[in-house]
């Protein structure tokens, strides 16, 4: 299941992960969501699904290092990176 793979990838980052919304104001953390799209079918059964995982890394400082830690962990756990974008917000 994709949620288990995301949780495994986040475990190695030292950041708490939350699905869709964080439960409190604890920083740093990662808020994630995902979408899925069937990619191929055989005999009326979906045999390949493509997932897009969106991660919002919420940190007060050391943004680039936090981004690298999260990216490296996801790559180590078999995810493929196609795009990275981020916005810096001052709290």
């Amino acid at each position: 299941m994709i949620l288990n793979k995301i949780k495994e990838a986040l475990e190695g980052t030292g950041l708490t992960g939350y699905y869709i919304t964080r439960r409190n104001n604890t920083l740093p953390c990662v808020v994630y969501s995902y979408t899925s799209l069937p990619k191929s079918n055989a005999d009326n059964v979906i045999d390949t699904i493509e997932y897009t995982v969106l991660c919002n890394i919420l940190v007060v400082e050391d943004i680039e290092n936090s981004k690298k830690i999260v990216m490296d962990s996801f790559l180590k756990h078999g995810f493929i990176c196609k795009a990275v974008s981020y916005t810096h917000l001052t709290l």
Side-chain angles (χ1 to χ4, degrees):
M1 173 179 251
I2 190 66
L3 283 175
N4 291 336
K5 291 204 58 84
I6 294 169
K7 288 177 185 178
E8 287 174 15
L10 287 174
E11 281 178 7
T13 66
L15 299 170
T16 304
Y18 298 101
Y19 179 62
I20 298 180
T21 185
R22 59 189 163 136
R23 295 184 188 107
N24 55 39
N25 289 325
T26 303
L27 295 178
C29 68
V30 176
V31 178
Y32 61 89
S33 64
Y34 69 91
T35 60
S36 61
L37 180 66
K39 294 304 281 185
S40 66
N41 306 328
D43 298 326
N44 292 324
V45 176
I46 298 170
D47 61 1
T48 305
I49 299 173
E50 178 181 272
Y51 293 96
T52 300
V53 178
L54 307 166
C55 291
N56 294 302
I57 303 168
L58 305 173
V59 296
V60 176
E61 59 188 17
D62 207 10
I63 295 168
E64 289 300 319
N65 187 53
S66 298
K67 182 175 74 172
K68 181 179 180 343
I69 289 169
V70 171
M71 288 294 301
D72 288 350
S73 186
F74 271 81
L75 292 171
K76 178 181 170 186
H77 285 85
F79 288 84
I80 299 168
C81 178
K82 292 187 179 181
V84 174
S85 62
Y86 68 94
T87 302
H88 176 88
L89 299 176
T90 304
L91 300 176

